[in-house]
Amino acid sequence: VLKEKMADINFKEVTLIVGVVTACYWNSLFCGFVFDDVSAILDNKDLHPSTPLQTLFQNDFWGTPMSEERSHKSYRPLTVLTFRLNYMFSELKPMSYHLLNMIFHAMVSVVFLKVCKLFLDNKSGVIAALLFAVHPIHTEAVTGVVGRAELLSSIFFLAAFLSYTKSKGPDNSIVWTPIALTVFLVAVATLCKEQGITVVGICCVYEVFIAQGYTLPLLCTTAGQFLRGKSSIPFSLLQTLIKLIVLMFSTLLLVVIRVQVIQSQLPVFTRFDNPAAVSPTPTRQLTFNYLLPVNAWLLLNPSELCCDWTMGTIPLIESFLDIRNLATFAFFCFLGVLGIFSLRYPGDSSKTVLMALCLIALPFIPASNLFFPVGFVVAERVLYVPSMGFCILVAHGWQKISKKSVFKKLSWACLSVVILTHALKTLHRNWDWESEYTLFMSALKVNKNNAKLWNNVGHALENEKNFERALKYFLQATHVQPDDIGAHMNVGRTYKNLNRTREAEESYMMAKSLMPQIIPGKKYAARIAPNHLNVYINLANLIRANESRLEEADQLYRQAISMRPDFKQAYISRGELLLKMNKPLKAKEAYLKALELDRNNADLWYNLAIVYIELKEPNEALKNFNHALELNPRHKLALFNSAILMQESGEVKLRPEARKRLLNYVNEEPLDANGYFNLGMLAMDDKKDTEAEIWMKKAIKLQADFRSALFNLALLYSQTAKELKALPILEELLKYYPDHIKGLILKGDILMNQKKDILGAKKCFEKILEMDPTNVQGKHNLCVVYFEEKDLLKAERCLVETLALAPHEEYIQRHLSIVRDKISSSGFVEQPGLPAGKSTGGEGGDRIPTKNEKEIRSESRPTQVTKTSDDQSQSKPNEQLEENTHKETPPKTKDIKEIEKKRVAALKRLEEIERILNGE
């Protein structure tokens, strides 16, 4: 039986381990989020405080609901919880994430030292821990932020094992507290990463062969005697069986719970992720077995490391004559020798080897393709725990060699070289993880047969808007793996970004042609990666830019839905297209179907609100905007457009909430002039002129050519007796928009009434009629100019023509009567054919007041989702007619009737603009 050993560690050893880890990984603090970090950190809404905490226990590691087929079924809520804590303190600044990973690795190394001292002497234990701390294979787990799952799981994995080692009391009695703690720690380790459950197997092996001191021959002899009835079960073995039954029952319970969590569904992987998994016999078996010596070689010689070993990285072994089978044979022979030695012979050395082999083999089983296929060929991060067993083996072998005086100095020299070179390799390897470009370029130096690596370099360049270079890498990916659907999709998207539409469509069509054909009765998704179905979305989005191909685009969306009825993005994209096709009822059906699949998607509620606006149901639209804001209180578009809807409703009680939402919007989008403009419009509605002026000026400061803000600020000045301040604003408006009719009307009005510049006003009204000869306001105001110029006959003809354009306008008829009365009193001869006007009586000139209303809402919006028409209301015409005679001018009167109230503005039309697809 292995003698009891002290597993205590001292402060110097801890300091040494922590110092070495810091020296090896300090530069990882300057790396960013790369590769899988993007999905797990940057794109994962579960990190955000706005996401309910319980959602972490309903979604997988990547933030996808476990119930969805596209989920990877990697259930690691405790790891995601630590990401969420990082986000709470530093949001998406990568340094804190890398720092915590480094701390966790140091913790694992220290706890591993404690485990090593159970099976090695102090010196060898420290050496094993140092080898583990510096091994370059760990850079993916430590420097890659998503590797935290390995680190956290390992902490509880080792803690569970250390707890179990204390379950044996005096006289071989059972101490239940450590066993209960072990079960709890196993559950926690499993919630960090699935492989945590394999520590139960290590505890079982420890109990039988270490704690009870059995060897395999002795165990077989004891079992044989009991079965033949020659002896009863020894008490020690009975105690062992009880402990093992408790452990196995607890493990079975954890497995059942885990199966329930994944809803009895395995994740969907394709032949690109793991080609051997879909290969026939014997290719599948030969390749899977060869991967074992490949992993062992990475532990032994970590000189060529690669972040991605999928696709064509390791060619399939399709024949027994393949030379690589010799490596597989040699590996199993070596493993068999060590296994026989550790199980057959008693003694400390054999038990140390046995525990090392258990640490290598058992935690690797979930990644070995033994029970179920995995989504990779080789993954360096899954060797994090197996490397512990490897380090124990190396330290134990070094211990044996160094005891011989002949090899003592040589063994120390070799060990020093190994630790130093490993540390330097780790330090250098960390820089590869600085950015996605450096990471994937380093991988291409090791492996040029993996199309995914070429694609990922292309993605890194694409993110930098370097589309020309990205295209070269995407095209190379299609040459390396001609049947890679994703590579052709990437080529198509890049051509689209380069505005090469024809080539983009050809690439998407090629990707579509590579999709598996539908086989009746066979589940489509089981043979295709869910994201590959985005080829239909991307192709449809490309061709829908052509108005004549909208039906064709709709057919593509429907095809994607027929292949995958739960394809949420297809419903969303189809809803957008149906709105563009002016089919709001069908768009509503599409969005409601998408909401059945995901009721917690704020964007979907927002889109449905847009549909209700198209259906002229503003109350329903507002309800859906509110629902979107319940899910995401910072949803910028919902904040903005719901505020506009409230404003347009005309209900005074809704204005405070509209103002609150617009204030929240400008807080989120401080550089968007639209928010300030609409706050100004609200203030104008509330007669808060000073506040309105401030908001309008802010909008114009951000966007100097903001058409509606310029006009409404000028209008505000004109309505508050500041007409001369309005004039330079109108000059600015007309500089940018010389054909702005209402601006010309307001300018002419101010020039004539305030500046007494009749000629300038005349030019404004003449310019209006050049652009629109039927413009009643411009025509009428030009008649006023003729009147001011004392050309009464021309003014009369002008008003007759204006009346013909608007025969029911009372004010034109009244003004015509005024002119005719003036002509009669001045002795002019009435022109034949002119209709008789009603005399107003008396000589007094009549002044009809000018009143201009607001020009509604801007032409642009904060994002391309909704637009409104430029004009919601009509400006009032200049209605001034002033007597001009040699006599003293009598008092002037004002007509207080607001005739123009019948020109009520129509509600703005809202048109839906394409949203950018996630699938691209």
Side-chain angles (χ1 to χ4, degrees), residues 394-427:
V394 172
H396 182 58
W398 175 86
Q399 178 188 351
K400 294 292 185 184
I401 294 172
S402 64
K403 284 182 178 178
K404 298 179 181 180
S405 57
V406 179
F407 300 111
K408 189 171 184 178
K409 289 184 179 180
L410 181 62
S411 64
W412 274 105
C414 291
L415 179 66
S416 300
V417 169
V418 168
I419 291 177
L420 181 62
T421 54
H422 277 43
L424 291 174
K425 173 66 177 177
T426 297
L427 192 66

Short mmCIF file of all heavy atoms in Angstrom, two decimals, residues 394-427:
data_model
loop_
_atom_site.label_atom_id
_atom_site.label_comp_id
_atom_site.label_asym_id
_atom_site.label_seq_id
_atom_site.Cartn_x
_atom_site.Cartn_y
_atom_site.Cartn_z
N VAL A 394 6.64 12.64 -16.06
CA VAL A 394 7.97 13.19 -16.34
C VAL A 394 8.74 13.42 -15.05
O VAL A 394 9.93 13.06 -14.93
CB VAL A 394 7.85 14.51 -17.14
CG1 VAL A 394 9.21 15.19 -17.27
CG2 VAL A 394 7.26 14.25 -18.52
N ALA A 395 8.08 14.00 -14.04
CA ALA A 395 8.75 14.27 -12.77
C ALA A 395 9.16 12.96 -12.07
O ALA A 395 10.24 12.87 -11.47
CB ALA A 395 7.84 15.10 -11.86
N HIS A 396 8.30 11.95 -12.19
CA HIS A 396 8.61 10.66 -11.58
C HIS A 396 9.79 10.00 -12.28
O HIS A 396 10.69 9.44 -11.63
CB HIS A 396 7.38 9.76 -11.64
CG HIS A 396 7.57 8.43 -10.99
ND1 HIS A 396 7.92 8.29 -9.66
CD2 HIS A 396 7.48 7.16 -11.48
CE1 HIS A 396 8.02 7.02 -9.35
NE2 HIS A 396 7.75 6.31 -10.46
N GLY A 397 9.80 10.07 -13.60
CA GLY A 397 10.94 9.52 -14.35
C GLY A 397 12.22 10.25 -14.03
O GLY A 397 13.29 9.65 -13.87
N TRP A 398 12.13 11.61 -13.94
CA TRP A 398 13.31 12.40 -13.57
C TRP A 398 13.81 12.00 -12.19
O TRP A 398 15.02 11.90 -11.95
CB TRP A 398 12.96 13.89 -13.59
CG TRP A 398 14.09 14.76 -13.11
CD1 TRP A 398 15.11 15.24 -13.85
CD2 TRP A 398 14.32 15.20 -11.77
NE1 TRP A 398 15.99 15.96 -13.07
CE2 TRP A 398 15.51 15.95 -11.78
CE3 TRP A 398 13.64 15.02 -10.57
CZ2 TRP A 398 16.03 16.53 -10.63
CZ3 TRP A 398 14.15 15.60 -9.42
CH2 TRP A 398 15.34 16.35 -9.45
N GLN A 399 12.87 11.76 -11.28
CA GLN A 399 13.24 11.37 -9.91
C GLN A 399 14.04 10.06 -9.93
O GLN A 399 15.06 9.92 -9.24
CB GLN A 399 11.97 11.20 -9.07
CG GLN A 399 12.21 10.73 -7.64
CD GLN A 399 10.90 10.39 -6.93
OE1 GLN A 399 9.82 10.66 -7.43
NE2 GLN A 399 11.01 9.78 -5.77
N LYS A 400 13.59 9.11 -10.75
CA LYS A 400 14.29 7.82 -10.83
C LYS A 400 15.69 7.99 -11.41
O LYS A 400 16.66 7.38 -10.94
CB LYS A 400 13.48 6.86 -11.72
CG LYS A 400 12.14 6.45 -11.14
CD LYS A 400 12.29 5.58 -9.91
CE LYS A 400 10.95 5.07 -9.41
NZ LYS A 400 11.10 4.30 -8.16
N ILE A 401 15.81 8.82 -12.45
CA ILE A 401 17.11 8.99 -13.11
C ILE A 401 18.07 9.77 -12.23
O ILE A 401 19.26 9.44 -12.13
CB ILE A 401 16.91 9.71 -14.47
CG1 ILE A 401 16.12 8.81 -15.42
CG2 ILE A 401 18.24 10.09 -15.09
CD1 ILE A 401 15.70 9.50 -16.71
N SER A 402 17.56 10.83 -11.59
CA SER A 402 18.44 11.71 -10.82
C SER A 402 19.01 11.03 -9.57
O SER A 402 19.98 11.50 -9.00
CB SER A 402 17.69 12.98 -10.40
OG SER A 402 16.62 12.66 -9.53
N LYS A 403 18.40 9.92 -9.15
CA LYS A 403 18.92 9.20 -7.99
C LYS A 403 20.22 8.48 -8.30
O LYS A 403 21.00 8.13 -7.40
CB LYS A 403 17.89 8.20 -7.47
CG LYS A 403 16.75 8.86 -6.69
CD LYS A 403 15.78 7.83 -6.16
CE LYS A 403 14.67 8.49 -5.35
NZ LYS A 403 13.68 7.50 -4.85
N LYS A 404 20.45 8.23 -9.59
CA LYS A 404 21.69 7.59 -10.00
C LYS A 404 22.75 8.67 -10.17
O LYS A 404 22.59 9.60 -10.95
CB LYS A 404 21.48 6.83 -11.31
CG LYS A 404 20.44 5.71 -11.18
CD LYS A 404 20.23 4.98 -12.50
CE LYS A 404 19.17 3.88 -12.35
NZ LYS A 404 18.94 3.16 -13.60
N SER A 405 23.83 8.52 -9.43
CA SER A 405 24.86 9.57 -9.39
C SER A 405 25.43 9.87 -10.76
O SER A 405 25.83 11.00 -11.05
CB SER A 405 25.98 9.17 -8.44
OG SER A 405 26.53 7.91 -8.84
N VAL A 406 25.43 8.88 -11.64
CA VAL A 406 26.01 9.07 -12.98
C VAL A 406 25.21 10.11 -13.77
O VAL A 406 25.76 10.92 -14.53
CB VAL A 406 26.03 7.73 -13.75
CG1 VAL A 406 26.61 7.93 -15.15
CG2 VAL A 406 26.83 6.70 -12.99
N PHE A 407 23.89 10.08 -13.60
CA PHE A 407 23.01 10.95 -14.40
C PHE A 407 22.50 12.17 -13.63
O PHE A 407 21.69 12.94 -14.16
CB PHE A 407 21.80 10.15 -14.90
CG PHE A 407 22.17 8.99 -15.77
CD1 PHE A 407 21.99 7.68 -15.33
CD2 PHE A 407 22.70 9.18 -17.05
CE1 PHE A 407 22.33 6.61 -16.11
CE2 PHE A 407 23.04 8.10 -17.85
CZ PHE A 407 22.86 6.81 -17.38
N LYS A 408 22.94 12.35 -12.40
CA LYS A 408 22.35 13.40 -11.56
C LYS A 408 22.52 14.79 -12.17
O LYS A 408 21.56 15.53 -12.34
CB LYS A 408 22.98 13.35 -10.17
CG LYS A 408 22.28 14.27 -9.17
CD LYS A 408 22.78 14.03 -7.77
CE LYS A 408 22.00 14.88 -6.76
NZ LYS A 408 22.40 14.65 -5.38
N LYS A 409 23.77 15.14 -12.52
CA LYS A 409 24.02 16.47 -13.08
C LYS A 409 23.34 16.63 -14.43
O LYS A 409 22.77 17.68 -14.75
CB LYS A 409 25.52 16.71 -13.20
CG LYS A 409 26.22 16.91 -11.86
CD LYS A 409 27.68 17.23 -12.07
CE LYS A 409 28.38 17.47 -10.72
NZ LYS A 409 29.81 17.78 -10.90
N LEU A 410 23.44 15.55 -15.24
CA LEU A 410 22.82 15.60 -16.56
C LEU A 410 21.30 15.77 -16.45
O LEU A 410 20.69 16.53 -17.22
CB LEU A 410 23.15 14.33 -17.34
CG LEU A 410 22.60 14.25 -18.77
CD1 LEU A 410 23.17 15.38 -19.62
CD2 LEU A 410 22.91 12.89 -19.39
N SER A 411 20.69 15.08 -15.50
CA SER A 411 19.24 15.16 -15.33
C SER A 411 18.83 16.57 -14.90
O SER A 411 17.82 17.10 -15.38
CB SER A 411 18.75 14.15 -14.29
OG SER A 411 19.30 14.43 -13.01
N TRP A 412 19.62 17.19 -14.02
CA TRP A 412 19.32 18.55 -13.61
C TRP A 412 19.49 19.54 -14.78
O TRP A 412 18.69 20.45 -14.96
CB TRP A 412 20.23 18.99 -12.45
CG TRP A 412 19.68 18.58 -11.10
CD1 TRP A 412 20.13 17.57 -10.31
CD2 TRP A 412 18.59 19.19 -10.42
NE1 TRP A 412 19.39 17.49 -9.17
CE2 TRP A 412 18.43 18.47 -9.19
CE3 TRP A 412 17.72 20.24 -10.68
CZ2 TRP A 412 17.45 18.79 -8.27
CZ3 TRP A 412 16.75 20.55 -9.76
CH2 TRP A 412 16.61 19.84 -8.57
N ALA A 413 20.53 19.31 -15.57
CA ALA A 413 20.77 20.19 -16.72
C ALA A 413 19.63 20.07 -17.74
O ALA A 413 19.11 21.09 -18.24
CB ALA A 413 22.10 19.84 -17.37
N CYS A 414 19.24 18.83 -18.03
CA CYS A 414 18.15 18.62 -18.99
C CYS A 414 16.84 19.21 -18.47
O CYS A 414 16.09 19.84 -19.24
CB CYS A 414 17.98 17.12 -19.26
SG CYS A 414 19.35 16.40 -20.18
N LEU A 415 16.58 19.00 -17.18
CA LEU A 415 15.35 19.53 -16.60
C LEU A 415 15.33 21.06 -16.69
O LEU A 415 14.32 21.66 -17.04
CB LEU A 415 15.23 19.08 -15.14
CG LEU A 415 13.99 19.60 -14.40
CD1 LEU A 415 12.74 18.98 -15.00
CD2 LEU A 415 14.08 19.28 -12.91
N SER A 416 16.45 21.69 -16.39
CA SER A 416 16.53 23.16 -16.45
C SER A 416 16.28 23.67 -17.87
O SER A 416 15.56 24.67 -18.07
CB SER A 416 17.91 23.63 -15.97
OG SER A 416 18.13 23.23 -14.64
N VAL A 417 16.85 22.95 -18.85
CA VAL A 417 16.65 23.35 -20.26
C VAL A 417 15.18 23.21 -20.64
O VAL A 417 14.60 24.10 -21.30
CB VAL A 417 17.54 22.49 -21.19
CG1 VAL A 417 17.14 22.70 -22.65
CG2 VAL A 417 19.01 22.82 -20.99
N VAL A 418 14.56 22.10 -20.22
CA VAL A 418 13.14 21.88 -20.57
C VAL A 418 12.26 22.97 -19.98
O VAL A 418 11.42 23.56 -20.67
CB VAL A 418 12.69 20.49 -20.08
CG1 VAL A 418 11.16 20.37 -20.18
CG2 VAL A 418 13.34 19.40 -20.92
N ILE A 419 12.45 23.26 -18.70
CA ILE A 419 11.61 24.27 -18.04
C ILE A 419 11.84 25.65 -18.66
O ILE A 419 10.88 26.39 -18.94
CB ILE A 419 11.88 24.30 -16.52
CG1 ILE A 419 11.37 23.01 -15.88
CG2 ILE A 419 11.21 25.52 -15.88
CD1 ILE A 419 11.64 22.90 -14.40
N LEU A 420 13.11 25.99 -18.94
CA LEU A 420 13.43 27.30 -19.51
C LEU A 420 12.87 27.43 -20.93
O LEU A 420 12.25 28.45 -21.27
CB LEU A 420 14.94 27.52 -19.52
CG LEU A 420 15.40 28.87 -20.09
CD1 LEU A 420 14.85 30.02 -19.24
CD2 LEU A 420 16.93 28.93 -20.15
N THR A 421 13.07 26.42 -21.76
CA THR A 421 12.58 26.50 -23.15
C THR A 421 11.05 26.52 -23.19
O THR A 421 10.46 27.23 -24.01
CB THR A 421 13.11 25.32 -23.99
OG1 THR A 421 12.79 24.09 -23.34
CG2 THR A 421 14.61 25.41 -24.18
N HIS A 422 10.43 25.74 -22.29
CA HIS A 422 8.97 25.75 -22.24
C HIS A 422 8.45 27.13 -21.83
O HIS A 422 7.47 27.63 -22.38
CB HIS A 422 8.47 24.68 -21.27
CG HIS A 422 8.38 23.32 -21.89
ND1 HIS A 422 9.35 22.80 -22.70
CD2 HIS A 422 7.41 22.35 -21.82
CE1 HIS A 422 9.00 21.59 -23.10
NE2 HIS A 422 7.81 21.29 -22.57
N ALA A 423 9.11 27.72 -20.85
CA ALA A 423 8.68 29.05 -20.38
C ALA A 423 8.82 30.09 -21.50
O ALA A 423 7.93 30.91 -21.70
CB ALA A 423 9.50 29.45 -19.16
N LEU A 424 9.93 30.03 -22.22
CA LEU A 424 10.15 30.99 -23.32
C LEU A 424 9.16 30.77 -24.45
O LEU A 424 8.66 31.73 -25.05
CB LEU A 424 11.59 30.88 -23.83
CG LEU A 424 12.69 31.36 -22.87
CD1 LEU A 424 14.07 31.05 -23.44
CD2 LEU A 424 12.55 32.85 -22.59
N LYS A 425 8.90 29.49 -24.74
CA LYS A 425 7.91 29.18 -25.78
C LYS A 425 6.53 29.71 -25.39
O LYS A 425 5.80 30.29 -26.21
CB LYS A 425 7.85 27.66 -26.00
CG LYS A 425 6.73 27.19 -26.93
CD LYS A 425 6.93 27.67 -28.36
CE LYS A 425 5.84 27.10 -29.27
NZ LYS A 425 5.96 27.61 -30.65
N THR A 426 6.16 29.54 -24.12
CA THR A 426 4.87 30.04 -23.63
C THR A 426 4.80 31.56 -23.75
O THR A 426 3.80 32.11 -24.23
CB THR A 426 4.65 29.62 -22.16
OG1 THR A 426 4.61 28.18 -22.10
CG2 THR A 426 3.35 30.18 -21.62
N LEU A 427 5.87 32.22 -23.33
CA LEU A 427 5.91 33.68 -23.40
C LEU A 427 5.75 34.16 -24.84
O LEU A 427 5.02 35.11 -25.13
CB LEU A 427 7.22 34.18 -22.79
CG LEU A 427 7.32 35.68 -22.52
CD1 LEU A 427 6.35 36.09 -21.43
CD2 LEU A 427 8.75 36.05 -22.11
#
